Amino acid sequence: IIAVTRLPRTIAAVMSGSSFALAGAILYYITRNPLACPSLLGINQGAILGILLCLITIPFISLPGIIAAAIIGGIISGIIVYSIVSLIGVSNLKLVLVGQAINIFLYALGQTLIVLFPDKTGGMLVTLNGSLAGTSWEKIEIITPFIVVITLLSILLAKKIYLLSLGKEIALSIGINANQLLIIIFCLIVGLCSLAVTMVGQLLFFPLIAVHLSKPLLRGRNPYDFCVITCLVGAILMLASDCLMRYIYTMQEIPLGIFMAIIGAPVLILSSRLKRAES
């Protein structure tokens, strides 16, 4: 039981939690918006839609094909959001609003596919709201190396990402190619979210919760510390949430998204109140 079921599930929780959290930290640095979250920008839902389309068109596709479909779906949704924002004028508020609109559209499209093709997508109902059930060693062996490489690359670029968050002019003045770095950052976020979605499914607000829980643990503004601490908080939060849900509901698999929604709202409200009190 430990070798076949518990251990791969634990590794999946740690990997997916740290990936979601790190993607949220990077996006927070770039937008300087406390509500900026990959799940609100359509990236996660785009990955889910890519998996659904893949299952419908190619029912017997292998796991690497599903992972590729998730990444392609996340990339396409991210490109759509960025293109629309570029046309109407780039701003943090517009980025969140457009991303949320695309996210809702993709969610509705995904639900439509599930209704129209229940025999091919019925197994995705729990995964859509987050679940580590059925995690296998094959999935761990394929996805974990990519997550480790992307995570290390993101942490190594943390300082440049932080400098870019101060403004393109400052970044250019110290020799940073802002446009090239933005493309790399976009690829990192899409990669982290798509791989995490393939492991655990979509978890709304999880990156936001991990980022807000990490802030009180920081001492200073070191971007490396922020990324590492956020990864650790995300891993612990995901693992603790899964263990708690399995302890409460021992006879059935309850989506983790329900638990995240329950604890997400109080955490965000408390964080906003503390920020208002500090200001």
Side-chain angles (χ1 to χ4, degrees), residues 38-67:
S39 59
L40 298 179
L41 298 182
I43 296 176
N44 293 357
Q45 196 59 50
I48 288 289
L49 186 60
I51 295 175
L52 290 174
L53 290 173
C54 183
L55 293 176
I56 292 172
T57 56
I58 314 174
F60 301 103
I61 191 171
S62 61
L63 182 58
I66 294 177
I67 297 173

Side-chain angles (χ1 to χ4, degrees), residues 9 20 32 115 184 205 243 253:
R9 185 164 180 154
F20 274 135
R32 282 299 176 183
V115 172
I184 295 175
F205 305 118
C243 291
E253 192 71 33

Side-chain angles (χ1 to χ4, degrees), residues 164-265:
L164 182 61
S165 68
L166 301 177
K168 285 188 176 182
E169 295 77 10
I170 296 177
L172 291 173
S173 65
I174 58 178
I176 296 177
N177 190 330
N179 294 328
Q180 182 180 9
L181 184 58
L182 281 174
I183 295 175
I184 295 175
I185 292 171
F186 172 76
C187 294
L188 293 176
I189 293 176
V190 170
L192 288 170
C193 292
S194 300
L195 293 171
V197 165
T198 307
M199 268 192 170
V200 70
Q202 181 178 224
L203 289 177
L204 294 176
F205 305 118
F206 183 88
L208 280 178
I209 298 172
V211 170
H212 284 285
L213 290 178
S214 301
K215 290 180 182 178
L217 303 177
L218 293 175
R219 297 294 182 268
R221 296 184 178 181
N222 191 317
Y224 298 110
D225 293 345
F226 182 54
C227 289
V228 172
I229 291 176
T230 304
C231 283
L232 294 176
V233 170
I236 294 172
L237 178 62
M238 181 70 74
L239 184 58
S241 301
D242 184 51
C243 291
L244 181 61
M245 294 299 285
R246 285 191 289 112
Y247 178 77
I248 297 175
Y249 301 96
T250 56
M251 303 302 295
Q252 57 183 331
E253 192 71 33
I254 301 298
L256 288 173
I258 298 176
F259 180 70
M260 291 302 162
I262 294 174
I263 68 172

Side-chain angles (χ1 to χ4, degrees), residues 56-125:
I56 292 172
T57 56
I58 314 174
F60 301 103
I61 191 171
S62 61
L63 182 58
I66 294 177
I67 297 173
I71 294 175
I72 293 173
I75 291 174
I76 293 175
S77 61
I79 290 175
I80 292 174
V81 172
Y82 185 79
S83 300
I84 296 175
V85 173
S86 299
L87 291 175
I88 63 178
V90 179
S91 70
N92 292 341
L93 179 60
K94 292 179 180 178
L95 181 65
V96 174
L97 292 177
V98 172
Q100 182 65 355
I102 297 298
N103 185 65
I104 294 174
F105 172 76
L106 295 178
Y107 176 79
L109 188 57
Q111 293 297 314
T112 302
L113 293 177
I114 292 176
V115 172
L116 294 178
F117 304 94
D119 55 328
K120 297 180 179 179
T121 61
M124 291 291 294
L125 288 175

